[in-house]
Amino acid sequence: MDRTTQLTARPTERAIAYDPPLSADAPHVRAARVLADNWTGTSTVPSLGLYPHQWSWDSAFIAIGLRHLSPLRAQTELETLLAAQWADGRVPHIVFNPSVPLDAYFPSPDFWRSSTAGRAAGAPRTVQTSGIVQPPVHALAAWLVHCADPGLSRARGFLARSYPRLAAWHRYLLHRRDLGGGGLASVVHPWEQGMDNSPCWDAPLSRVTPAPARSFRRADLDHGAPEDRPTDLDYGRYVRLAADYRDVEYADGKGEFAVEDPAFNALLIASEHALARIAQELGAPGTARHARAERLTAALVERLWDPAAGIFLCRDVRDGALIPERGVSGLVPLLLPELPREIVTALLATLGGPHFGLGDSTRLVPSYDLLGEAFDPHRYWRGPAWFNTGWLLERGLRTHGERERADALREAVVETADATGFAEYVDPYTGEACGATGFGWTAALALDLLQEPPGLGKTPAHDVSGAGTGTFHRSDKGGDRG
C-alpha cells in the first residue's frame, strides 16, 4: 500500500456503513498525493523542484491540512520546524535539508552561515537555517492540529513541548522586532512577510543598493518562467538586504528596510489568541495573552488603518509614513473578530469593489490592487491570487457572518486548486496556473476546506479563529460567528 493510499484509506466497516468509497480521482486523494510526494520523513517541502527545503509558514499551513490525514504527521511537521529555533526565539524561515545539493536553491546555507554569523543570536549548531523569519502562523496551526486529535496530542505532550518554544517566538517578535515603537512587529526583509515581491515593498526597497548580478545565481529561474518571478533588480536588492543582515550577525534594527505589515501582525494576533487557548489547555490562565492580543489589535488599527483607502496599509518604519499601495495583506485582518464593525464594513466593500473585484471580476482574491500601476496578473505577488490568502480570507468572511461570500470563495479555492494541479498561484481573472504545481500549502489548505461542506458552521477544530473554543470573543451579537 503506497503512502497516498494509507493516508486516505478508511476502515472497511465504516466505509460500507456510512461513506461512499473514495474515487481514485477525488480531489481529496489528489491533494493527499501531493502531500505524500512532498513529505521528506520529518517535514513537507513546498515544492519538490523549486523549494526543496522546509519553509516556516508553509509548514504551518501544511500542518493545518495534514491534521485531517495524519495528526501525528501534522505534529511532526511543526516539531521539526520548532527544533530549529534560535536561542533568541526566532523561528527561521528556512530549515535546510543537508541532503539537498547547495546549488539546488539560492540563497543556500553557505550564504546564510547561520552557525557562524548567527552564533551570537543562538542559531542551532546541528542544523543549517536562514537568519530571517516568516509570518507567525505557528501557534494557530499548533492549536488546530491539537484539536484534530486531542488524545494523541496529550499522550505525546505535543502542546506541552511546543508551548515554551511558541511563547519564546512571540516574545522575540514583540520585543526585538518592535522597531517602530508602536507595539507592532516589523519585518526587516520582504521575504519575512512572505509576500516577497509585493509592490508594497517598492518604495522602501528603492533605498537599497542591489547586489551585483554576477555575485549570485538565481536557482528559481530553473523552475519558473522569468515573467512570473521577481526581476533581477528586485532580487539583487533582496540579496543585499539579506547579506547586510548576516554581516551584522542578525542583530535587529540596523538595516535599511523595516516595515510594519498588517498581515504579519494580524497573524501574530490570531496566534496570541491561540497561544492563550493552548495555555488554558495546559492548565494555565490565558487572560494575559488575550489582553495582549486586544492591545495589538488596537495598535494595528491605530498605526495601519487608512479609512480613506478602506484598507490596512504597510508603514515604512524608516520614514514613518504609510505606504499608499493596496495589497492583499491589508485585507487579512478580517481574520480578527474583534475589529470595529465600521472597519469590517469598509474592508468588505474594498474586497468586493474595483480594487480586488471578489465576486464581480474575480473569483479568487488578487494579491495586489487590480487598479494599481504595478498590477501584473502573473508576476509573483504583484497580482496573482494565492491559496493561503484565499484560505485566510475565507475564514475571515465566515468569522464576520459573510456566509454566502465565504462559501463562494471556498468553492473557488477548492475548484481552482484541483483544476491547476495544486498550483503555487494563479491568474486572478482566468485561474491559469503560475509558478510551481504540486504546491504543498495549496494542497493542504484545499484539503482543509474540503472537510467542511459549504454553508455549514465550523466545529472547534475547523474554526481558525478559535471562536468555537473560547479563543476569540465577538463583542457584537449579530451575524454568524463561523
Side-chain angles (χ1 to χ4, degrees), residues 72-257:
L72 176 58
R73 237 178 77 188
Q75 292 175 31
T76 302
E77 183 81 38
L78 294 173
E79 289 166 343
T80 301
L81 178 69
L82 292 174
Q85 185 174 30
W86 292 27
D88 66 1
R90 79 182 75 195
V91 176
H93 99 296
I94 302 174
V95 181
F96 289 105
N97 183 343
S99 67
V100 173
L102 286 178
D103 61 358
Y105 182 81
F106 179 84
S108 53
D110 58 345
F111 173 89
W112 296 102
R113 304 171 202 161
S114 62
S115 59
T116 53
R119 186 178 298 141
R125 296 184 179 184
T126 57
V127 64
Q128 294 293 311
T129 76
S130 66
I132 60 175
V133 303
Q134 276 191 322
V137 199
H138 310 91
L140 180 59
W143 175 244
L144 294 176
V145 167
H146 165 79
C147 289
D149 191 337
L152 175 67
S153 174
R154 290 169 187 143
R156 296 187 67 249
F158 169 64
L159 292 183
R161 286 182 288 108
S162 299
Y163 181 82
R165 291 183 177 275
L166 292 168
W169 168 219
H170 286 208
R171 196 159 50 245
Y172 168 78
L173 292 173
L174 291 167
H175 296 286
R176 300 285 292 275
R177 286 300 189 89
D178 182 12
L179 303 180
L184 298 181
S186 294
V187 296
V188 299
H189 195 292
W191 288 338
E192 292 199 314
Q193 195 272 349
M195 304 177 191
D196 313 2
N197 199 37
S198 170
C200 299
W201 316 134
D202 288 356
L205 273 178
S206 67
R207 296 191 293 264
V208 178
T209 302
R214 65 182 179 278
S215 65
F216 60 91
R217 177 188 173 276
R218 295 181 57 181
D220 64 315
L221 297 181
D222 295 340
H223 303 280
E227 61 269 19
D228 292 352
R229 311 297 300 174
T231 65
D232 285 342
L233 175 61
D234 286 332
Y235 215 91
R237 286 172 168 150
Y238 302 154
V239 172
R240 171 70 70 184
L241 275 177
D244 288 350
Y245 192 38
R246 176 200 65 203
D247 292 346
V248 296
E249 298 183 324
Y250 300 109
D252 293 312
K254 298 184 178 182
E256 296 177 85
F257 185 97

